[in-house]
Amino acid sequence: HIEVKQMQSDLGIGSCCLRSGERRSAWQGPSAAEARNAMLVGAAHGHVAPFPPNMYQPIHSEHMPYQRVDPQNGGCCSACAACWQRPECQWCCGTSLIIFSICMVIFTYRCHFLYVPEPPSGSVVIPYLDGKETLNWWNLPVQRSEELLQQCRDRLTGEFGLGGLQYGYISGRGAPQLAYECTKVPGLSDLLPEQFRGVFWMKDNGLNEELAVLQNGQWFPEVRTLVAPLSPFSWAWAGVDGTKPPNPPGGGAAYGQETSRYAMMHLAGSHTSFSSRFGECPGGKKLPGPIGEAGAMCEEGSGNPPELTFADIEGHIFGNLSTATQGSRYSLELIPDGPGNHWYRGIFGSIPGFEGCKCFEFGSYNLVRILDGEGNPVEPWHSQWMSYIGGANLAFWYGYTEPAAVDLLKQERISEAANLIWDSYCGGYPEREYCSD
């Protein structure tokens, strides 16, 4: 092995730099491409090291050719960090540091000091709720009949209780029709803009959520806002019974049976209402990697009345519109490739302390309509859904293990109902953080 000082002398570190990519370093390690591939494979098989140890092969100096770099020919900015020691290179590194520092000052000023939290956008509908601040399935102006809900329950199999709620299964191929028929309510669904009726597939969503319905919601034209609560038969999950699509997003990482059951129970049990407030598409920027802004996928400047091309989405637990529960910014952006059947569901987070800049995108997906407002297939998305779902079953929430919870919700005694539901939940998972008190 080569001693450090001798290696520095041989390589000329401090007086020159190696040209990147032309020679290996003092050990015969992998190239950048080899290291990257090995890292991915190693991570998949549980290796702790960045790549398997057998790829590290120290060699002697006589087997390690190197090349000196002439800064006049190679360029100081393309050389390694040791070039900082050369006076002719310091201007480049110094300028880069100054530019970076200026950018950080601007970022901090804009995203921290200028940030003023805004009230939840869903709160704009509160003046239209006759003195209430909540909107969820139990106080929508038109309710589904008990006869319809019973017919829907009869089409499910393998019913089971979990976390205070009751669920059942249906094949993924039959799930869209069930969701459509069990959430279409005359006097409610037909008042929504047409593009929000029917059944949607959360395509490319990394979680095990598959189908979503907005038509069992309420449209407020005065403030161009849609409030769609999670309700029985409005949401469907895969993986709960151990079956999943042949090629699920993310390699199926979120489709394990226990993970799927917990994700379903947590979201359904939250009784979240989603408010979508529509406005002008801001035309955000989309940069390489995870950096981006809401509004990059819709046509900039579109969305003025009567157009609906961009909305900010907020989640409200138990339908409380006076508060928003997610820290990230959710967006709904119309992809200009058809008549309102393809939307982008953006998810943009921020660095703690810099909430004024939600520009780190993670978890976004495509929201595509597979059944329209009349229950007809929407192509090409319907055919893609049938091919994607394969033989997997989907789980629907359809009721409560404690019937008293329904009465409490309809009486607006929401805290009591929530305690009753979550007490049942904690009976099965006492170790969860929600159950510690």
Side-chain angles (χ1 to χ4, degrees), residues 13 126 221 250-251 253 255 378:
I13 293 177
I126 291 178
Y255 282 74
V378 177

Side-chain angles (χ1 to χ4, degrees), residues 8 40 61 71 85 99 130 141 157 168 178 189 222-223 271 366 380 398 414 417:
Q8 289 178 331
L40 295 175
S61 59
Q85 301 179 24
I99 294 174
D130 298 326
T157 61
L178 177 70
S189 305
E222 301 88 349
V223 288
H271 291 68
N366 291 282
Y398 72 82
I414 296 174

Side-chain angles (χ1 to χ4, degrees), residues 100 103-104 107-108 110-113 115 290-292 327-329 348-361:
F100 176 77
C103 291
M104 287 304 300
F107 177 81
T108 302
R110 176 189 170 192
C111 304
H112 179 75
F113 293 106
Y115 173 61
I291 308 300
S328 300
R329 183 181 186 182
F348 305 89
S350 61
I351 300 174
F354 297 89
E355 287 78 7
C357 292
K358 292 180 169 58
C359 55
F360 296 95
E361 186 172 8

